Amino acid sequence: GESVGLHLPTLSVQEGDNSIINCAYSNSASDYFIWYKQESGKGPQFIIDIRSNMDKRQGQRVTVLLNKTVKHLSLQIAATQPGDSAVYFCAEKKGSYKLSFGAGTTVTVRA
Amino acid sequence: NAGVMQNPRHLVRRRGQEARLRCSPMKGHSHVYWYRQLPEEGLKFMVYLQKENIIDESGMPKERFSAEFPKEGPSILRIQQVVRGDSAAYFCASSPPSNYEQYFGPGTRLTVT
């Protein structure tokens, strides 16, 4: 099964299910988007990125989708594991270096 | 290759004291960025520095906050006369001179009592 939320601050997902985390961005001029994972007490860790000239990019167990028409970004995690429990942030890069972060979605994986 | 290092990890200050937060970038990285994270919020950009230069401080509060990245030694974020509203997690990131891919440190959690 899948757990999908539209810009929800929290997401609870059963271990083994797929997760979808959504994010809306504000600046149509942003040319680069990144998903970060932040575990409790740690700094953000890079998961995957996508350039604005792409619609989809896949990594290991993760896929990022970009819909520029509605300025929407999503992160899909396949076969969610307990170690995936964390806060997930999308960030857009404005210009060459300045990252602008969203509010984050807390993902809790149920055993 | 050690990652970005920040110290202290936790800092408690009373109102009116000064807070000094340190960040050592990854080896080979000459660009440093500071971000602030309030509870339940995303990170907010504060300042971008290169060695001995402040490139962009558009996210820094106008008063009491300053940052430096000297030729030798770590980058320092300094908060003078701290107030309760300064309580937050402060993250440092670094990137190499060839691109702007940022790697984050573990953060310093500042508590103002």
Side-chain angles (χ1 to χ4, degrees), chain A residues 71-82:
Chain A
K71 292 193 276 189
H72 182 264
L73 193 67
S74 69
L75 176 71
Q76 300 177 8
I77 305 174
T80 312
Q81 302 170 359

Side-chain angles (χ1 to χ4, degrees), chain A residues 17-73:
Chain A
D17 284 358
N18 297 331
S19 304
I20 299 180
I21 306 164
N22 297 295
C23 177
Y25 63 92
S26 56
N27 189 347
S28 57
S30 295
D31 57 4
Y32 185 58
F33 303 89
I34 311 168
W35 278 99
Y36 286 94
K37 173 186 181 183
Q38 186 177 25
E39 295 175 279
S40 181
K42 296 184 179 180
Q45 290 177 279
F46 173 92
I47 301 174
I48 191 168
D49 58 9
I50 188 167
R51 296 202 175 276
S52 60
N53 60 355
M54 302 171 69
D55 298 321
K56 179 179 179 179
R57 189 161 188 225
Q58 287 185 291
Q60 188 176 17
R61 281 201 309 119
V62 294
T63 301
V64 56
L65 299 176
L66 175 62
N67 185 331
K68 294 181 285 296
T69 302
V70 294
K71 292 193 276 189
H72 182 264
L73 193 67

Side-chain angles (χ1 to χ4, degrees), chain B residues 14-86:
Chain B
R14 286 196 291 270
R15 279 178 297 169
Q17 291 185 317
E18 178 180 288
R20 292 171 73 90
L21 288 62
R22 294 173 186 77
C23 169
S24 295
M26 287 179 68
K27 186 177 180 180
H29 288 191
S30 56
H31 298 193
V32 165
Y33 315 79
W34 285 93
Y35 292 80
R36 176 163 63 176
Q37 184 179 33
L38 295 172
E40 312 298 324
E41 295 186 11
L43 282 70
K44 296 286 192 287
F45 170 83
M46 298 180 75
V47 62
Y48 162 39
L49 310 102
Q50 295 177 15
K51 287 280 188 181
E52 299 185 282
N53 281 305
I54 298 173
I55 307 302
D56 182 348
E57 55 182 349
S58 59
M60 289 276 273
K62 293 288 186 280
E63 298 177 346
R64 301 188 297 109
F65 284 70
S66 62
E68 63 177 10
F69 189 17
K71 187 176 180 181
E72 301 291 338
S75 175
I76 307 285
L77 179 68
R78 183 181 177 208
I79 311 172
Q80 296 177 288
Q81 299 174 334
V82 296
V83 300
R84 289 225 171 101
D86 296 332

